[in-house]
Amino acid sequence: MEQAVKSAPPGGNPLGTEKISRLLVQFAIPAILSSLLGAVYNLTDQVFIGQRIGYLGNAATTVAAPITVVCGAVALLFGIGATVHFNILQGKGKTREALGYGGGGISMLVISGVVLMAVTLAFTVPILYLFGANQEVLPLAKTYLRITALGIPFLLLTTGGTLLVRADGSPKYTLLCSAVGVGANIVLDFLFLYPLGMGVEGAALATILGQVLSGLMVVRYLGHMKTGPLKREDFRVKKDRVGNMVKIGSAASLNQVAMLLSQIVLNSSLRHYGDLSVYGSSEVLAAAGVVAKVNMIFYSVIIGFSIGCEPIMGFNYGAKNFARVRETYRKTLLFVVVIGAVEFLCFWLFPNQLLSIFGEGTTAYGAFALRYMHIFMFMVAINGVAPVTMNMLSSTGNAKRGTIISLTRQIFLFIPLLLILPLFLNLDGVLYAGPTADFLAMVIALLVVRPELKKMKEAGT
């Protein structure tokens, strides 16, 4: 009798009864497309700027990009923190409490977005120097960042809010939110940069207008949630709820913070050792930025899988269907490794075709971009193991272990390698730091998650 109760979650929610493979298609594929559209969003500016302004424009967006990582860290802190509780409480049949976390998460996203916007506008130049800008790149980067900062509240609302929309059982609507923003960005990029000739200002303006549209669509959905109507009191910021959100969302957020710190160190290392090399710092920064944008396309698929599978794992963990949690984790890992392998082949078989998308550059720029693809990105096939494992642990309430994984690759491995290897290998040391950190991070992630998988297996269903 107990077995039957456990396999039939409250309300007959399909997350607890439907085939895992079908749920993966239903939730992960829309999440992938949504995440992919987000990557295209960022890629569009790089392509248009590269074609119209040149590699210095690409370098400018490269040093401005870390602010997006800051926004992602805050969005995931409250977005994942709220939606994991939302999923688990739904699995326990506590709908009213679940909605309280949903509304509270939205409030924290808006408040945080306004604060981040104000800080970015007040300290634009120091922030850009911190992110690796040199005197040649600073003017373009300053213009770009000051305009895009205005869209930060809407960026947080979209990034974190769509997680709640997906958890509410509307993954297709999250895709629509992203599609509208990306579509507007592409159309406006063309309009502002070509017929109107607005330069980097036009690209920045197109970006924030797309973010505004996506954010407003999230606001529209909040009034029609499937789980139930959000009441005014649900949006109140309560200390206990915020604390619980931070505990769960900290793993994914710290991963973004770690990415930010590693990006700062990476950009600074590229600037310093690029100046000492035959390439030059502006060329090196531009090339690394272009390859990062290409990688973002593939990595967004990996992130889409891990985010899309969170509702499945979170709900079933709350309902004590541990076998379904483990099955979802295994299948997600398989998918992300396949995606990484495809990326590896693209970097080796079609490097020049990928670079040509971003316009022309100097010979030094092209030569370093090829080396960056072939050396720094050598371990991309296994890059998805750590983030998927981290999200699995976070979605099942194991925030501490998720935090360990989130910090391992960037803080404990990548940054020390970036500081040590170049002392012996100069610019090549920066390149070899990437694949070394990737491999070690995968090994550590699998070791950290093993006890939890064993525990769930022994508990059974």
Side-chain angles (χ1 to χ4, degrees):
M1 182 68 177
E2 183 182 354
Q3 295 289 97
V5 171
K6 288 182 178 181
S7 62
N13 194 311
L15 290 173
T17 57
E18 188 64 81
K19 289 183 178 179
I20 295 297
S21 57
R22 186 171 297 175
L23 287 172
L24 285 173
V25 172
Q26 181 182 352
F27 281 86
I29 298 303
I32 288 168
L33 294 176
S34 180
S35 183
L36 189 60
L37 284 170
V40 171
Y41 208 133
N42 293 311
L43 185 68
T44 300
D45 282 337
Q46 199 87 37
V47 171
F48 277 103
I49 289 173
Q51 294 287 346
R52 295 295 291 171
I53 301 173
Y55 74 91
L56 285 178
N58 286 331
T61 57
T62 297
V63 297
I67 199 65
T68 304
V69 182
V70 176
C71 294
V74 177
L76 292 179
L77 178 66
F78 297 113
I80 288 181
T83 55
V84 167
H85 282 289
F86 183 86
N87 287 322
I88 292 177
L89 288 169
Q90 271 192 303
K92 294 179 179 179
K94 299 179 180 181
T95 301
R96 192 68 255 161
E97 290 184 43
L99 289 170
Y101 274 96
I106 294 296
S107 295
M108 290 306 302
L109 289 169
V110 174
I111 293 170
S112 301
V114 173
V115 172
L116 279 176
M117 177 185 70
V119 171
T120 303
L121 289 173
F123 302 101
T124 303
V125 174
I127 286 172
L128 287 172
Y129 276 127
L130 177 65
F131 290 168
N134 59 23
Q135 288 296 323
E136 189 177 21
V137 169
L138 181 63
L140 287 174
K142 182 169 62 174
T143 299
Y144 185 81
L145 183 56
R146 280 181 172 167
I147 296 174
T148 54
L150 299 175
I152 287 176
F154 295 95
L155 176 58
L156 262 69
L157 181 60
T158 300
T159 304
T162 50
L163 295 175
L164 177 62
V165 174
R166 183 179 296 111
D168 189 51
S170 298
K172 292 182 180 178
Y173 190 83
T174 66
L175 176 59
L176 182 61
C177 291
S178 298
V180 168
V182 170
N185 187 36
I186 293 174
V187 171
L188 293 174
D189 260 329
F190 177 80
L191 177 63
F192 292 158
L193 288 175
Y194 283 85
L196 299 181
M198 295 175 64
V200 71
E201 296 92 340
L205 185 59
T207 295
I208 64 171
L209 289 176
Q211 290 168 349
V212 168
L213 286 175
S214 295
L216 291 177
M217 289 186 67
V218 171
V219 172
R220 176 186 177 276
Y221 182 88
L222 296 178
H224 306 84
M225 289 188 63
K226 294 180 179 180
T227 302
L230 282 172
K231 300 179 180 180
R232 180 177 297 179
E233 56 265 27
D234 292 328
F235 291 99
R236 292 176 182 170
V237 177
K238 296 184 177 181
K239 185 177 179 180
D240 58 336
R241 286 179 181 170
V242 173
N244 289 334
M245 290 179 204
V246 170
K247 288 178 183 178
I248 295 299
S250 61
S253 181
L254 283 174
N255 185 55
Q256 293 289 309
V257 172
M259 287 175 61
L260 170 65
L261 294 176
S262 65
Q263 186 66 55
I264 292 173
V265 177
L266 175 60
N267 285 353
S268 297
S269 298
L270 290 170
R271 179 183 60 190
H272 176 71
Y273 291 102
D275 272 334
L276 301 178
S277 72
V278 297
Y279 303 107
S281 62
S282 294
E283 286 81 358
V284 164
L285 283 168
V290 164
V291 176
K293 294 297 182 182
V294 175
N295 177 60
M296 188 182 296
I297 295 292
F298 292 93
Y299 195 69
S300 68
V301 179
I302 292 172
I303 294 302
F305 262 113
S306 61
I307 290 176
C309 294
E310 282 179 351
I312 307 172
M313 293 187 287
F315 183 93
N316 283 287
Y317 188 83
K320 301 187 183 300
N321 289 329
F322 300 128
R324 290 175 64 80
V325 177
R326 294 171 61 246
E327 181 183 355
T328 303
Y329 173 65
R330 289 196 303 268
K331 289 187 175 180
T332 304
L333 280 186
L334 175 62
F335 288 137
V336 299
V337 170
V338 170
I339 294 301
V342 172
E343 180 180 6
F344 177 85
L345 292 175
C346 287
F347 281 148
W348 282 85
L349 298 178
F350 312 108
N352 292 319
Q353 290 86 339
L354 292 173
L355 289 176
S356 66
I357 297 173
F358 300 90
E360 299 296 328
T362 63
T363 301
Y365 158 79
F368 183 77
L370 289 176
R371 284 178 58 77
Y372 200 83
M373 285 184 186
H374 293 164
I375 300 177
F376 190 86
M377 308 302 297
F378 186 74
M379 286 290 180
V380 290
I382 60 172
N383 272 354
V385 174
V388 169
T389 302
M390 178 198 72
N391 282 352
M392 188 277 272
L393 290 169
S394 296
S395 66
T396 56
N398 293 282
K400 290 184 178 179
R401 287 180 179 166
T403 301
I404 292 174
I405 295 176
S406 71
L407 296 177
T408 296
R409 196 270 181 187
Q410 309 295 349
I411 300 298
F412 302 139
L413 296 174
F414 187 48
I415 290 179
L417 288 168
L418 278 175
L419 296 175
I420 296 172
L421 292 184
L423 296 176
F424 303 96
L425 302 173
N426 296 313
L427 187 58
D428 279 352
V430 178
L431 297 178
Y432 285 107
T436 304
D438 291 338
F439 175 77
L440 294 176
M442 178 200 68
V443 173
I444 292 172
L446 293 178
L447 290 175
V448 169
V449 77
R450 186 177 178 182
E452 182 61 26
L453 292 174
K454 183 179 180 181
K455 178 182 173 182
M456 286 191 283
K457 183 178 181 180
E458 291 173 349
T461 55

